[in-house]
Amino acid sequence: MALEGHRGVFITFEGVEGSGKSTQASRLAEALAERGHDVTLTREPGGTPLGERLRQILLDLGERGMTQEAELFLYLASRSEHVASVVEPALSRGGVVIADRFGDASVAYQGGGRSLGAALVERLNEVATRRVKPDVTFLLDLDPGTGLSRLSRRGSGEKDRIESEEVAFHERVRDTYLRSAEREPERFVVLDGALDADSLARLVMAEIDKLLESRRKG
Ligand code: TMP
């Protein structure tokens, strides 16, 4: 599982809206930082000043009319900046990078949700990521209806541009994530997003312990 050309460890969290991935990403970051690791917790879209500006545009309900292709390219633009200025530098100094969403999100949302096709998005991801791939990807799998109702219970205000898509869109996102996980079982760890946060954190930590142990041996 070693990343060619990189010494660090790259961990990503993925899932439908309300799947609990952000909570797990920050809990893992905290736990690894406590153990003395050099941890970078980051997110997409975002993670850089330009990325955060692109995030505002992408989630803005006022941008409802944007074409699917423009949407895809804006996510890829954010990813390119993120890889070049955050992910690669942290990995090359031997750090642990934890990203709340990465390339698999574009495959699931734009490839699947928007029906642009997984293969096209995977090819464009190779350009945006300079072929930097996560060592491990946690997919918090959850029924999209349950995830969306968690969001409204949280009372986090008005839904953003993507959250307000119809349930069928979010179903396609979930299915595409699951198909990606099937294609790359050595990278993906699929967890039940319906589990409570403490149980999920324990499962995540057990996987990371295995990964770090194999790095020490390797
Ligand atoms: P968040 O829910 O993790 O904050 O992500 C923001 C939204 O952007 C979420 O609805 C998923 C969506 N998204 C895509 O559609 N494509 C992508 O490539 C990424 C990274 C996120």
Side-chain angles (χ1 to χ4, degrees), residues 106-166:
S106 293
V107 175
Y109 280 80
Q110 283 65 54
R114 300 285 187 221
S115 305
L116 289 171
L120 169 73
V121 179
E122 274 166 7
R123 278 184 52 210
L124 293 170
N125 262 341
E126 284 183 7
V127 180
T129 62
R130 305 171 177 192
R131 298 183 188 254
V132 171
K133 278 207 128 188
D135 294 280
V136 59
T137 297
F138 291 100
L139 172 58
L140 271 55
D141 179 51
L142 187 67
D143 161 56
T146 308
L148 290 167
S149 63
R150 277 185 187 173
L151 289 187
S152 38
R153 270 206 308 279
R154 244 182 247 160
S156 40
E158 203 184 4
K159 284 184 179 164
D160 66 36
R161 196 177 61 88
I162 307 278
E163 287 164 358
S164 44
E165 284 297 330
E166 56 183 13

Side-chain angles (χ1 to χ4, degrees), residues 27-54:
R27 284 183 66 153
L28 178 64
E30 222 171 278
L32 292 177
E34 266 171 30
R35 290 192 195 173
H37 288 278
D38 164 8
V39 179
T40 302
L41 174 63
T42 182
R43 68 172 180 181
E44 283 197 10
T48 65
L50 174 58
E52 291 297 329
R53 287 171 72 184
L54 292 172

Side-chain angles (χ1 to χ4, degrees), residues 53-119:
R53 287 171 72 184
L54 292 172
R55 180 184 180 92
Q56 279 179 6
I57 297 170
L58 280 162
L59 301 185
D60 183 356
L61 273 174
E63 299 292 351
R64 263 206 180 109
M66 128 176 11
T67 67
Q68 300 184 351
E69 291 78 7
E71 177 183 290
L72 170 63
F73 290 132
L74 291 178
Y75 279 112
L76 293 167
S78 169
R79 183 156 309 126
S80 167
E81 281 283 309
H82 185 222
V83 169
S85 58
V86 177
V87 180
E88 276 192 329
L91 291 177
S92 41
R93 63 169 194 262
V96 176
V97 178
I98 301 173
D100 183 348
R101 296 198 192 277
F102 192 63
D104 299 302
S106 293
V107 175
Y109 280 80
Q110 283 65 54
R114 300 285 187 221
S115 305
L116 289 171

Side-chain angles (χ1 to χ4, degrees), residues 170-189:
H170 295 286
E171 298 279 5
R172 289 195 295 279
V173 170
R174 180 194 196 182
D175 291 347
T176 312
Y177 267 135
L178 288 170
R179 276 206 300 276
S180 295
E182 272 168 26
R183 272 201 311 277
E184 285 186 76
E186 65 295 337
R187 173 164 68 90
F188 276 89
V189 176

